[in-house]
Amino acid sequence: MTERGFMKLTRRFILLYTGTFALLLRGGLFFVYMASPFRFFHKVPGLDMETLLRFSEWGPGREFSPLFVVHRFLIYFVWLINGKEHCVPAVIVLQCFSGIAGAMLTADLALMLWGKRKIALAAGIFYGLYPVTLLYDFCVLQESVTTTLILLGVWSFFKCRSSHFSSKS
């Protein structure tokens, strides 16, 4: 990519490329997931996925409160909207959007830290391709949302440090 012409590698385009890449990759993998037997993996007793679904149910006769963990709250929200029935594909879609946001946050963090646009683009695409995050996005696991929330916290720290709370006021 050249720096001249209409395809300048600005912050907006870096985030757009990274987000589009992560969206297309996760969108394609979602169709593979829906056609595979892996989509029933949450029904295996004793695994984390089955336990998280069970602990996210809340109401009369239930002893667990899902509101203190963000991931459980997302599962509870989908469970509540779906008539108190679990809809695992909807949870997977929410986790995929979390992975897309994680890729974009990684690209923006790399741009803030190093200031080099090509490194930022590579970092965002690498996060989008990273097999562990892809696996977490397609399993009902807390790590998929927790990783993005940690990245959001680090991004917020650097964003506030560079703009609002600067000592150069």
Side-chain angles (χ1 to χ4, degrees):
M1 284 184 235
T2 63
E3 291 295 315
R4 294 182 181 201
F6 74 97
M7 296 296 289
K8 291 184 180 179
L9 198 56
T10 62
R11 178 180 177 266
R12 178 184 290 172
F13 280 120
I14 290 170
L15 296 179
L16 182 68
Y17 294 152
T18 303
T20 303
F21 175 77
L23 176 69
L24 291 175
L25 180 64
R26 281 162 176 76
L29 287 176
F30 182 75
F31 287 109
V32 172
Y33 165 79
M34 289 303 290
S36 75
F38 186 63
R39 69 186 168 134
F40 301 111
F41 205 51
H42 66 278
K43 294 185 178 184
V44 178
L47 290 181
D48 285 348
M49 293 174 259
E50 186 261 342
T51 306
L52 283 169
L53 290 174
R54 188 168 36 94
F55 283 174
S56 298
E57 299 172 358
W58 192 39
R62 312 230 195 269
E63 56 196 60
F64 304 107
S65 172
L67 302 178
F68 64 92
V69 178
V70 174
H71 187 258
R72 285 188 192 169
F73 178 74
L74 288 175
I75 296 173
Y76 169 72
F77 182 69
V78 170
W79 177 75
L80 194 63
I81 287 178
N82 199 35
K84 296 190 177 181
E85 294 288 326
H86 287 294
C87 182
V88 175
V91 175
I92 298 298
V93 167
L94 289 175
Q95 290 181 170
C96 284
F97 280 119
S98 173
I100 293 166
M104 294 170 72
L105 285 169
T106 302
D108 207 21
L109 272 170
L111 188 61
M112 281 190 242
L113 289 173
W114 289 288
K116 300 196 184 290
R117 297 179 195 139
K118 291 180 182 178
I119 291 176
L121 183 63
I125 289 176
F126 179 74
Y127 184 92
L129 278 174
Y130 191 53
V132 176
T133 59
L134 288 173
L135 177 67
Y136 287 166
D137 285 348
F138 289 94
C139 294
V140 181
L141 293 173
Q142 295 182 56
E143 289 84 353
S144 61
V145 176
T146 306
T147 305
T148 303
L149 290 175
I150 291 170
L151 283 169
L152 182 62
V154 173
W155 179 86
S156 299
F157 173 76
F158 281 109
K159 191 70 170 174
C160 288
R161 185 176 167 262
S162 66
S163 60
H164 300 299
F165 298 109
S166 177
S167 62
K168 300 176 184 176
S169 2

